[in-house]
């Protein structure tokens, strides 16, 4: 999925979306979604100039709300045609592009994401920890599906929205989580 990237264009608008898993903040410029976070999640609105102007009638917000309505209704909407413009380094954008390739209802490991991104970037290898940092700083949570990434030991670690929310999202997508474990400690608990 192509992601438009920009480091310059600030978010100018925001609106709220009331999901079954808690309130979500959407941030956008006039044409692109630049941020989506569960209220209170780790890295909430990082690298965004919030507060912005409240404006829920922008076409981009209508399109995103329709996508979220479909998602929370148990459908499997694709993010391919959404106007997304996350801000980040070349490395982070490569990681987020890879996340968009994880099919609905499936999980991959941080190591798999790291290997795939290294290949795309023409590097001999890449740290799963560095990849985990990029996954955790995903500014368009849920639509760029960072919740579908798990540890190599089947651990449910690494979701900025919290483990409980990650479990709920995976269950919503029909993923059998019985073989997955919750870490005793970690950054996403």
């Amino acid at each position: 999925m192509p992601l438009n990237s920009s480091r310059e264009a600030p978010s100018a608008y925001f609106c709220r979306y009331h999901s079954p898993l808690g309130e979500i903040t959407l941030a956008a410029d006039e044409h692109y979604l630049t941020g989506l976070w569960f209220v209170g999640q780790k890295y909430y609105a990082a690298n965004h100039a919030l507060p912005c102007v409240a404006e829920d009638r922008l076409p981009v917000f209508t399109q995103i709300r329709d996508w979220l309505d479909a998602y929370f209704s148990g459908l499997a909407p694709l993010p391919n045609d959404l106007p997304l413009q996350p801000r980040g380094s070349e490395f982070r954008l490569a990681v987020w592009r890879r996340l968009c390739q994880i099919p609905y209802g499936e999980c991959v490991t941080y190591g798999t994401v790291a290997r795939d991104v290294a290949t795309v970037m023409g590097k001999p290898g890449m740290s799963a920890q560095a990849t985990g940092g990029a996954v955790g700083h995903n500014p368009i949570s849920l639509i760029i599906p960072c919740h579908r990434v798990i540890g190599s030991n089947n651990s449910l670690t690494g979701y900025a929205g919290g483990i409980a929310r990650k479990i709920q999202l995976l269950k919503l997508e029909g993923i059998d989580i019985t073989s997955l474990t919750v870490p005793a400690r970690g950054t996403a608990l």
Side-chain angles (χ1 to χ4, degrees), residues 17-102:
Y17 177 85
H18 300 284
S19 85
L21 301 182
E23 189 172 59
I24 293 173
T25 299
L26 306 175
D29 61 21
E30 291 189 14
H31 305 287
Y32 296 99
L33 185 73
T34 59
L36 183 154
W37 311 270
F38 285 100
V39 171
Q41 83 174 47
K42 191 172 185 178
Y43 311 120
Y44 179 85
N47 300 322
H48 282 71
L50 295 178
C52 305
V53 175
E55 175 55 75
D56 63 355
R57 294 174 291 166
L58 284 176
V60 64
F61 288 149
T62 300
Q63 191 175 3
I64 299 303
R65 282 192 304 265
D66 289 347
W67 190 97
L68 290 168
D69 287 346
Y71 179 84
F72 284 114
S73 295
L75 302 175
L78 298 173
N80 298 357
D81 296 325
L82 295 177
L84 307 179
Q85 192 172 65
R87 289 185 206 110
S89 66
E90 178 185 349
F91 168 67
R92 285 186 175 182
L93 289 168
V95 170
W96 301 334
R97 281 186 195 99
R98 173 59 182 98
L99 297 182
C100 289
Q101 297 170 358
I102 305 170

Side-chain angles (χ1 to χ4, degrees), residues 109-171:
T109 66
Y110 289 96
T112 298
V113 174
R115 281 190 300 278
D116 293 349
V117 170
T119 299
V120 166
M121 295 185 80
K123 298 187 182 267
M126 192 155 292
S127 160
Q129 287 180 317
T131 302
V135 171
H137 284 85
N138 169 15
I140 303 179
S141 174
L142 187 61
I143 293 175
I144 298 177
C146 51
H147 61 280
R148 296 179 189 153
V149 184
I150 61 172
S152 60
N153 60 354
N154 284 341
S155 174
L156 287 168
T157 189
Y159 188 59
I163 295 295
R165 203 172 268 136
K166 182 172 187 162
I167 290 169
Q168 291 175 305
L169 292 170
L170 296 176
K171 284 182 177 179

